[in-house]
Amino acid sequence: MSPSSSEQKTHVWLRDEDRSTERRTALTPKNAQKLIENGFAVTVEKSSKRVCPNADYEAVGCTLAEPRSWVNAPKETVILGLKELAETPERLPHRMIHFAHIYKDQTGWEKEMARFVNGEGLLYDIEFLTNENGRRVAAFGYWAGWMGAALGAFRLLERRAGRNEITKGVSPFESQEVIIEQLKALAAEVDGDLPTAIVIGAKGRSGTGASQCLEAIGMKVTKWDIEETRLLDRKALLSHDLMVNCVLMFGPGLLLANKTHLADAECNMKVISDVSCDPFSDFNPLPIYDAPTSWEEPVIEVARNGAGDAVEVTSIDNLPSLLPAQAAEEFSDQFITSLLKFDEGIEWQNAKAKFEQIRKRADL
């Protein structure tokens, strides 16, 4: 039901992503239409990379605007995006919704918080939009895990087949089915058993996606979660060929492996896909690399294992953008329920409380 004309409509402004490889969106045209039907005003910045065409937003009643014109939007406008912002403007006066990656001591977190505080704005970090049970209301976790496992398996299987293609770069795939076909074809190039894999955090969204991807191509998957990592059997962990880490750390306490462990004589590990991808955090359970990998350079060597084979890491921090259409549609369908309640739902209260907690910690 739409609000009466006397009520102030919330104006949601979907910004173009600053990151050139980010093709996903938090708001599809279908769900933008739901906002409009419920009394919201919706502006959408034109984008040449967003997976949803500009014309589809215009067709459902959105107002189109130029990229980055949000910086001049009225202060009461709510700015919606996905990934972190460019370094300008220095002051952020709006209420903003996106994944900022600054709440776990990541490099530059205090500077980023200062942009909001000095501009008198507010960040609703999507990662901390949680319900009364502490569960996130919307997440890309399944797709991140699925795609991270796919890239790890791709690199491992092509090495097994004597190939070296993925190191030349990656770009978005058409569908899950296409990826599975490619992986099965790679696996079939070499006779014998497939390499072994272990998924850490297997019970979560990301871990579920990772396990299902690997099992779809016929790999044997060991699944570990809190119970198995509480008293870590590192020898068993490193006996696998592939590790997919899906553990999201909010504090210290878990070390999966460092470079010394990887160099141990009994280590068999060859490829690590770090889906959680938090190298800038003090809580990183894989302190073996210092920056995410990229679409241009998706894999880096970090060590040599006990047999002298390379141990490589893939750690792309926007994995679901490699399957942008499927990932965006599922996320937006999860997220629209919360957007329709902005900013009164418990998830918005929780995200605001988290912002205030971090602001006080930064002494701002």
Side-chain angles (χ1 to χ4, degrees):
M1 182 180 296
S2 300
S4 68
S5 58
S6 62
E7 293 179 344
Q8 180 65 45
K9 295 191 296 183
T10 298
H11 185 182
V12 174
W13 189 297
L14 181 66
R15 60 178 172 85
D16 185 26
E17 294 293 324
D18 290 323
R19 185 181 295 202
S20 62
T21 58
E22 187 52 78
R23 301 191 61 212
R24 295 170 298 169
T25 179
L27 184 66
T28 58
K30 174 185 69 176
N31 289 318
Q33 182 176 13
K34 289 183 180 179
L35 287 180
I36 293 169
E37 290 172 348
N38 281 271
F40 289 72
V42 180
T43 295
V44 176
E45 291 186 355
K46 300 173 187 175
S47 175
S48 60
K49 56 185 181 288
R50 187 186 297 123
V51 69
C52 301
N54 299 323
D56 289 1
Y57 289 99
E58 192 171 30
V60 299
C62 300
T63 300
L64 296 187
E66 294 304 310
R68 280 187 62 81
S69 57
W70 66 265
V71 299
N72 296 315
K75 179 178 171 60
E76 63 271 14
T77 308
V78 179
I79 312 300
L80 174 62
L82 270 183
K83 299 297 286 187
E84 64 275 5
L85 302 167
E87 294 184 359
T88 58
E90 292 184 1
R91 295 171 180 261
L92 300 171
H94 299 97
R95 291 174 293 174
M96 304 193 75
I97 307 168
H98 60 266
F99 291 99
H101 303 296
I102 59 172
Y103 286 174
K104 294 183 289 180
D105 292 348
Q106 290 97 333
T107 302
W109 72 274
E110 291 169 298
K111 181 179 179 181
E112 190 68 8
M113 280 296 298
R115 295 173 71 187
F116 285 97
V117 175
N118 294 337
E120 299 183 349
L122 174 62
L123 168 66
Y124 293 99
D125 194 306
I126 297 174
E127 187 175 339
F128 296 89
L129 287 169
T130 56
N131 62 21
E132 59 275 4
N133 298 318
R135 186 169 177 80
R136 288 166 60 177
V137 298
F140 285 100
Y142 177 88
W143 296 102
W146 198 97
M147 197 67 238
L151 290 184
F154 195 104
R155 180 55 180 154
L156 184 62
L157 292 172
E158 74 167 7
R159 280 177 56 175
R160 178 171 171 262
R163 295 195 181 194
N164 196 40
E165 297 174 10
I166 198 174
T167 58
K168 300 172 185 175
V170 293
S171 57
F173 294 87
E174 183 179 334
S175 67
Q176 286 177 291
E177 291 73 24
V178 168
I179 297 173
I180 291 298
E181 288 176 9
Q182 291 179 355
L183 290 171
K184 284 184 174 180
L186 260 180
E189 289 188 17
V190 179
D191 293 332
D193 295 336
L194 289 178
T196 59
I198 184 167
V199 174
I200 313 298
K203 291 183 179 179
R205 286 189 180 107
S206 294
T208 299
S211 298
Q212 290 181 357
C213 174
L214 298 174
E215 289 172 341
I217 60 176
M219 291 183 70
K220 180 181 178 181
V221 182
T222 302
K223 301 175 184 179
W224 282 10
D225 210 89
I226 294 175
E227 295 82 2
E228 293 81 7
T229 56
R230 185 176 289 115
L231 295 174
L232 187 72
D233 184 345
R234 190 168 288 108
K235 181 179 178 180
L237 171 68
L238 298 179
S239 69
H240 296 80
D241 298 290
L242 169 66
M243 181 201 309
V244 184
N245 174 42
C246 299
V247 176
L248 190 62
M249 297 297 294
F250 292 97
L254 178 63
L255 174 61
L256 293 174
N258 57 31
K259 291 188 177 183
T260 300
H261 298 135
L262 296 176
D264 186 86
E266 296 185 347
C267 175
N268 190 56
M269 189 66 59
K270 298 177 182 67
V271 176
I272 297 172
S273 178
D274 190 11
V275 174
S276 298
C277 189
D278 215 357
F280 303 127
S281 173
D282 291 339
F283 310 142
N284 179 20
L286 285 166
I288 55 178
Y289 67 107
D290 56 14
T293 60
S294 64
W295 289 22
E296 295 76 21
E297 188 181 6
V299 178
I300 59 170
E301 181 178 328
V302 297
R304 291 273 168 173
N305 67 17
D309 295 325
V311 182
E312 296 177 306
V313 167
T314 178
S315 59
I316 295 173
D317 63 358
N318 63 336
L319 283 164
S321 238
L322 290 168
L323 277 170
Q326 291 172 287
E329 181 176 359
E330 182 174 311
F331 180 89
S332 183
D333 286 351
Q334 294 174 17
F335 196 40
I336 187 60
T337 301
S338 293
L339 275 178
L340 287 167
K341 294 185 291 183
F342 185 87
D343 59 348
E344 297 177 354
I346 184 65
E347 59 267 57
W348 302 106
Q349 298 173 36
N350 287 341
K352 184 177 181 180
K354 185 67 176 182
F355 176 84
E356 291 300 325
Q357 175 191 338
I358 301 300
R359 181 185 64 80
K360 291 177 182 176
R361 183 165 167 232
D363 197 24
L364 293 169

